[in-house]
Amino acid sequence: MTARSEKYTAQTLLDVQPITENLFTLRTTRDAGFRFRAGQFARLGVTKADGSTVWRAYSMVSSPFDEFLEFFSIVVPGGEFTSELSRLQVGDTLLVERQAFGYLTLDRFVDGRDLWLLSTGTGVAPFLSILQDFEVWEKFERIILVYSVRQARELAYVSLIEQLRERDYLAEQVHKLQFIPTVTREQYPGALNGRITTLIENGELERAAGVALTPEHSRVMLCGNPQMIDETRALLKLREMRLSLTRKPGQVAVENYW
Ligand code: FAD
């Protein structure tokens, strides 16, 4: 084995599901030695026709205990990686670096009562992993999942979120979850209408959650669009909520997707 191939393993695609023309989910086999914390990401590689390999970061959707790996992907028109990834079919190979990365994990927070998970688009991925892991349910009294998309048909994994309520091991915990989908470009029954930042500014998000965003009780994870993350961080800063650092625990943890 060469030093290069020791850095990653080759996994097989088990399933590919289109959500819209620009969104799809994929499931692969998992190397027995691949370990990760819920919320972390893997570096995935696809080999192009010219033999070169392109690598990109992808958050795991699946839980650390699943035997497979699941990912949720955008298709960027002309994107170097996603043009290749979206061509893969069941049985094809996806390369996965052996080491998982990332700090969007629950050990960012030393305390807190309410966990707010604020995502745009595919940024919901790490939160789905966190919600499928038991730790979050023990650590927090309330969990508010906010999932913002432009159009309602982009809301993937709603059935997974709903099915959490049916998982035996969560039976006594799942009442803690509040799922708040938000759709920005159309009205949709059961969803808020507007960007996350607008909904924080006008108080609608807290009203829908039935709880306030406060530095005492709230811990906030942000994932997805960097503009949403920057603007939300600025709004939270006005409320004395800051990035949580190893040496200086705070209330906010983030993962920018680009
Ligand atoms: P790139 O050249 O990498 O990107 C081109 C442009 O496309 C970007 O500048 C941006 O404007 C836009 N873009 C990139 N990613 C997204 C996205 N996810 N949603 C909307 N617009 C986007 N992507 C996923 O689809 N799912 C994931 O779970 C995921 N996890 C990530 C985790 C981390 C830590 C990071 C840093 C990125 C993650 N990404 C994820 C983004 C991913 O790494 C690639 O950027 C994406 O696959 C596009 O690759 P590309 O080569 O086709 O286009």
Side-chain angles (χ1 to χ4, degrees), residues 116 142 144 146 178 180 192 203-212:
W116 292 75
R142 294 175 198 230
I144 302 119
V146 180
Q178 208 159 356
I180 307 182
L192 297 184
E204 227 183 301
L205 197 61
E206 289 159 290
R207 269 196 299 282
V211 61

Side-chain angles (χ1 to χ4, degrees), residues 167-178:
R167 295 194 185 187
D168 286 347
Y169 66 95
L170 293 181
E172 289 173 19
Q173 306 282 351
V174 81
H175 65 275
K176 296 177 176 179
L177 177 65
Q178 208 159 356

Side-chain angles (χ1 to χ4, degrees), residues 41 56-59 72-74 76 79-82 122 257-258:
F41 64 89
R56 287 290 184 277
Y58 269 78
S59 304
F72 176 28
S73 185
I74 183 99
V76 177
E80 191 182 7
F81 184 83
T82 51
T122 54
Y257 269 9
W258 65 92

Side-chain angles (χ1 to χ4, degrees), residues 62-230:
S62 46
S63 95
F65 303 103
D66 285 324
E67 286 178 0
F68 53 85
L69 293 176
E70 175 133 347
F71 304 99
F72 176 28
S73 185
I74 183 99
V75 185
V76 177
E80 191 182 7
F81 184 83
T82 51
S83 304
E84 300 293 331
L85 188 72
S86 57
R87 271 200 277 274
L88 297 185
Q89 295 176 357
V90 171
D92 286 346
T93 295
L94 186 67
L95 305 178
V96 182
E97 271 195 13
R98 290 181 186 276
Q99 163 98 48
F101 304 91
Y103 300 103
L104 195 68
T105 55
L106 290 183
D107 20 52
R108 283 288 90 187
F109 302 131
V110 293
D111 57 5
R113 185 192 70 188
D114 310 324
L115 180 66
W116 292 75
L117 304 171
L118 308 185
S119 59
T120 58
T122 54
V124 75
F127 300 152
L128 297 171
S129 184
I130 286 172
L131 289 172
Q132 294 185 84
D133 192 7
F134 200 68
E135 186 184 352
V136 71
W137 302 94
E138 291 190 310
K139 202 164 170 174
F140 291 94
E141 283 180 34
R142 294 175 198 230
I143 304 163
I144 302 119
L145 173 65
V146 180
Y147 179 7
S148 175
V149 295
R150 283 176 294 186
Q151 291 176 317
R153 62 197 191 90
E154 296 167 2
L155 286 168
Y157 291 111
V158 171
S159 57
L160 186 150
I161 296 163
E162 280 164 0
Q163 281 161 17
L164 289 172
R165 300 184 194 282
E166 286 153 31
R167 295 194 185 187
D168 286 347
Y169 66 95
L170 293 181
E172 289 173 19
Q173 306 282 351
V174 81
H175 65 275
K176 296 177 176 179
L177 177 65
Q178 208 159 356
F179 174 41
I180 307 182
T182 86
V183 179
T184 57
R185 296 206 181 158
E186 61 184 1
Q187 298 283 344
Y188 187 70
L192 297 184
N193 176 237
R195 298 167 67 208
I196 287 175
T197 42
T198 311
L199 298 171
I200 293 176
E201 279 180 303
N202 66 17
E204 227 183 301
L205 197 61
E206 289 159 290
R207 269 196 299 282
V211 61
L213 271 163
T214 66
E216 294 80 20
H217 296 307
S218 311
R219 298 297 172 266
V220 187
M221 288 182 157
L222 305 170
C223 187
N225 181 321
Q227 192 185 345
M228 177 283 281
I229 292 177
D230 284 354

